[in-house]
Amino acid sequence: MKLAYVLIFLILSSFAHAGEGETTNFATITVEGTGQTVTTPDVVRLGWTLSEEGQTASQAMSIMTKKSAKLLDKLKKFGLEAADVVSTDVRLSPVYKDNNYQRSEIRGFVASSSLKISLRDLDRLAELYDLALQSGVTEMYGVTFDTTERDAHMTEAQQKAVHNARKKAELYAKEAGMRVGRLLMMSEIRETSGFQMFAARSSFDGEMANPIASGELTFTQSITAKYEIEPAE
């Protein structure tokens, strides 16, 4: 971060020692420290929905259940672990003849099931799309790239933020003819992570090549630190 964007406050404060007549003046410096780590995603998370219509509620649910079972079997053979395939939602809705949600004559029911899938081999994403198409998946959405080492990368960013704050404080204190003393206060400002996301919803026709570049994940931590400073010897 450029020096012009760093907020530095030199505050002269007077403190009276209890039981003493002396007053000790010391200066403080407050700086913002930022730490950042960048890594390559090692997992992609995406949502799928299967929908089937039937003349009765039980028929719609039966068709959808059989279709879901076949899809889960294909995902297992594809190599996904049970923990990487999670059912998130099952719905059953009436379908009206006038195609809206007013109370009119029901012409059938739609049953749907949603899955949250984690793929750890990003090179096989196009294969997974093909499997979805062949299995009758009606929606694919919320494709998000992530890392299984999120906590470790954020911890590294936090450590860098602390070191960055100390380095800035020492730089400005030196230029002012001072040196940094004890740490008086430290607090977090913000914690962020950035990643690329594909969030389009659509129906899919035909074979699909890998449409998404995974890019990089960035983890950022910012803190505020306040130090005592004193004249350099």
Side-chain angles (χ1 to χ4, degrees):
M1 184 182 295
K2 295 181 180 179
L3 300 184
Y5 291 103
V6 181
L7 299 178
I8 303 173
F9 301 94
L10 292 177
I11 308 168
L12 293 176
S13 306
S14 296
F15 293 87
H17 291 285
E20 297 181 9
E22 299 181 47
T23 297
T24 301
N25 294 324
F26 66 87
T28 65
I29 182 171
T30 302
V31 295
E32 179 179 319
T34 301
Q36 188 176 89
T37 59
V38 179
T39 188
T40 301
D42 59 12
V43 62
V44 59
R45 309 187 196 281
L46 57 158
W48 287 3
T49 296
L50 282 169
S51 297
E52 287 296 335
E53 186 173 338
Q55 292 183 343
T56 64
S58 60
Q59 183 185 49
M61 285 295 295
S62 177
I63 297 172
M64 187 273 294
T65 300
K66 291 177 181 178
K67 194 172 181 179
S68 294
K70 290 181 180 179
L71 174 60
L72 292 174
D73 185 58
K74 287 182 180 180
L75 290 173
K76 183 178 180 180
K77 292 177 180 177
F78 184 82
L80 296 183
E81 300 292 334
D84 293 330
V85 182
V86 180
S87 294
T88 59
D89 189 34
V90 176
R91 295 188 182 188
L92 180 65
S93 305
V95 180
Y96 299 96
K97 281 190 174 181
D98 53 1
N99 200 30
N100 61 38
Y101 291 94
Q102 296 179 1
R103 292 186 177 277
S104 60
E105 187 177 352
I106 295 175
R107 68 173 177 82
F109 292 84
V110 172
S112 63
S113 174
S114 296
L115 299 173
K116 189 70 175 179
I117 298 170
S118 297
L119 177 65
R120 301 176 190 279
D121 185 353
L122 273 61
D123 292 336
R124 300 189 69 193
L125 182 56
E127 291 181 59
L128 194 61
Y129 277 125
D130 288 339
L131 188 152
L133 297 174
Q134 296 164 8
S135 303
V137 171
T138 50
E139 284 187 287
M140 183 177 290
Y141 51 89
V143 179
T144 304
F145 290 93
D146 203 352
T147 174
T148 54
E149 300 295 329
R150 174 174 286 270
D151 290 344
H153 290 296
M154 185 53 71
T155 296
E156 184 181 351
Q158 291 164 341
Q159 293 170 337
K160 288 182 176 180
V162 174
H163 296 157
N164 181 244
R166 179 76 186 192
K167 184 176 180 180
K168 285 182 179 180
E170 290 174 347
L171 171 64
Y172 296 121
K174 181 180 179 181
E175 293 300 317
M178 309 284 280
R179 65 181 179 87
V180 175
R182 61 195 175 112
L183 175 67
L184 301 176
M185 178 276 295
M186 182 181 293
S187 63
E188 288 186 339
I189 301 175
R190 57 187 172 273
E191 176 183 301
T192 63
S193 61
F195 49 86
Q196 294 184 352
M197 177 182 292
F198 175 75
R201 289 172 173 258
S202 63
S203 297
F204 295 95
D205 296 313
E207 193 169 318
M208 192 177 230
N210 194 340
I212 306 171
S214 58
E216 294 180 331
L217 290 167
T218 302
F219 296 86
T220 304
Q221 177 69 64
S222 296
I223 65 167
T224 295
K226 182 178 182 180
Y227 299 92
E228 178 182 352
I229 57 174
E230 53 193 17
E233 297 180 354

